[in-house]
Amino acid sequence: MVTPSTPRLVVAAPSSGSGKTTVATGLMAAFAARGLAVSPHKVGPDYIDPGYHALATGRTGRNLDAYLCGPELVAPLFLHGARGCDIAVVEGVMGLYDGAAGEGELASTAQVAKLLGAPVVLVVDASSQSRSVAALVHGFVSWDPGVRVGGVILNKVGSARHEELLREALDSVGVPVLGALRRARPVETPSRHLGLVPVAERRALAVSAVSEMAALVSRGCDLPALEALARTAGTVPGGSAPWTPDFSPTHDHPPRSAGRLDQESARSAERLEEGAARSTVRLGQESARPAERPGRGAARSAGKAKPRIAVAGGPAFTFSYAEHTELLTAAGAEVVTFDPLHDEELPEGTAGLVIGGGFPEVYAAELSANEPLRKAVAELAAAGAPIAAECAGLLYLCRELDGSPMCGVLDATARMAERLTLGYRDAVAVGDSVLAAAGTRMRGHEFHRTAVEPGAGAAPAWGIRGRERRVEGFVQRGVHASYLHTHWASEPGVAHRFVERCRTS
């Protein structure tokens, strides 16, 4: 059961690197250790932190992204995740007021806190300041009167005297200090080019790290006061009901992002859509080719009531939103997972594949060595089966990745790049595909340090709108492959369309 008044806290900070993840994850684990059922959430598109949240709470970590899903879905998705929980902890992103570039407060932690009517706990790195902390906190408290900063947790405090000076300074601000964490050896949470190493790659060490975070927070924070603060959150604003993955194709569900386009974006979309007809013709010609016989372990289930959809998992493919599987299941699919590092066959009866994000570049040699599975994926694609691939999935379908042979489904090569590609994207489907009809508008997120050549096929997956208008990705028979991460809760028809194609193709 879920109530609109579920106790809740948002853990934020003035900037990245202040200790949000340590405090939020430790707080989740500490509350769980007190016997509370904790609902874990993360602001923004991040896939990695929710894995640590899941370890801390024993529940699926979920994202709240007002850019990808729209502000109107933040509260319903929160309530969906908080079902059956005693308290919810939401970890923020970047600094409290940082959001999508050039979009004001959109997708910021502050916006999410307001949409949830949740008090904010500000984590402040106090390592190089004393009295100045009062000016810093005062600025964050007064910047937006709609954001309620209910307390401060001081991080990296040097000594008892240092803590005393900080508390004295903050007395003048009127915001209670709810914790002080002493400067100590950092909790071991290794990172690399895209952030923390995911839980799936270091589970034993991750469990130990979460335990350390819980102990640190339990020692340094006033847990009863933090729980009491969470209970001051009233009913979630707007009278929202919990989100549900159920979707009726007959229900009028206009694309969420379409209503927020400015005139220039709309004109850009129209120009991109003019090319969609040509791409659609090519796609239709390719789709009309006779299907080839699928490979071993991939017997098709066309026409069956519950098509079997295989979702890539394991250490190389860890990026996925929980709502995607829920949407596929609600649309009538049987969802099974497989590990491309170790499984030499696709699950029996596979009718379609979903290959999400992750780190195939780290496991290129091992993925390449699993030749039987690479062949099975290529044969399934050649048979016209629906395949949805995002980012890491795109790399896996290329001919090669940093010289290591991959599945060869796409006539493209992938390599590590010098620069990180990162940011939100406003996109339109350039042609029909197994995921979307031409002209479908969605918002997504890119996050990678790799490059694919060419960047788009003869029939691109998306047209990216904005300052740098371009096309990217590949639509090829039943394949939709792109760097763009999307959240299907914003357009549940995507999952329904994919399941229907798996059922009938």
Side-chain angles (χ1 to χ4, degrees), residues 24 60 117 176 184 245 324 388 399 424:
T60 301
H324 289 199
R399 286 199 316 273
Y424 286 118

Side-chain angles (χ1 to χ4, degrees), residues 450-475:
T450 58
V452 169
E453 295 291 340
W462 301 108
I464 306 299
R465 298 173 294 154
R467 290 183 301 175
E468 183 186 353
R469 199 168 70 91
R470 59 187 171 89
V471 294
E472 75 91 44
F474 302 77
V475 171

Side-chain angles (χ1 to χ4, degrees), residues 60-63 243 320-327 487:
T60 301
R62 295 178 183 270
N63 296 73
W243 175 83
S320 178
Y321 296 126
E323 291 81 5
H324 289 199
T325 297
E326 293 170 348
L327 284 161
H487 199 304

Side-chain angles (χ1 to χ4, degrees), residues 320-384:
S320 178
Y321 296 126
E323 291 81 5
H324 289 199
T325 297
E326 293 170 348
L327 284 161
L328 291 171
T329 301
E334 177 193 359
V335 180
V336 294
T337 59
F338 71 103
D339 184 349
L341 287 177
H342 302 112
D343 294 332
E344 295 188 347
E345 296 181 354
L346 291 170
E348 188 66 30
T350 293
L353 294 181
V354 174
I355 312 174
F359 292 97
E361 61 270 30
V362 176
Y363 295 96
E366 293 92 329
L367 290 169
S368 184
N370 191 350
E371 185 176 356
L373 185 66
R374 290 194 289 110
K375 182 179 178 182
V377 171
E379 290 177 346
L380 191 69

Side-chain angles (χ1 to χ4, degrees), residues 14 102 201 216 230 423 453:
E201 298 185 46
L216 184 67
E453 295 291 340

Side-chain angles (χ1 to χ4, degrees), residues 197-292:
V197 176
V199 166
E201 298 185 46
R202 56 185 300 270
R203 189 168 186 87
L205 291 174
V207 170
S208 175
V210 169
S211 295
E212 285 188 54
M213 294 178 198
L216 184 67
V217 168
S218 295
R219 286 194 306 268
C221 295
D222 186 341
L223 294 179
L226 285 161
E227 183 179 343
L229 177 62
R231 296 190 183 282
T232 66
T235 301
V236 173
S240 299
W243 175 83
T244 172
D246 296 331
F247 171 76
S248 171
T250 60
H251 180 67
D252 182 20
H253 187 81
R256 171 211 40 90
S257 59
R260 290 208 305 267
L261 297 174
D262 57 28
Q263 292 182 352
E264 179 57 35
S265 293
R267 286 193 292 270
S268 297
E270 289 170 2
R271 290 194 294 270
L272 286 166
E273 287 163 7
E274 287 174 1
R278 294 190 295 274
S279 296
T280 302
V281 169
R282 289 194 296 269
L283 177 64
Q285 291 171 343
E286 290 185 346
S287 298
R289 297 172 185 168
E292 300 174 27

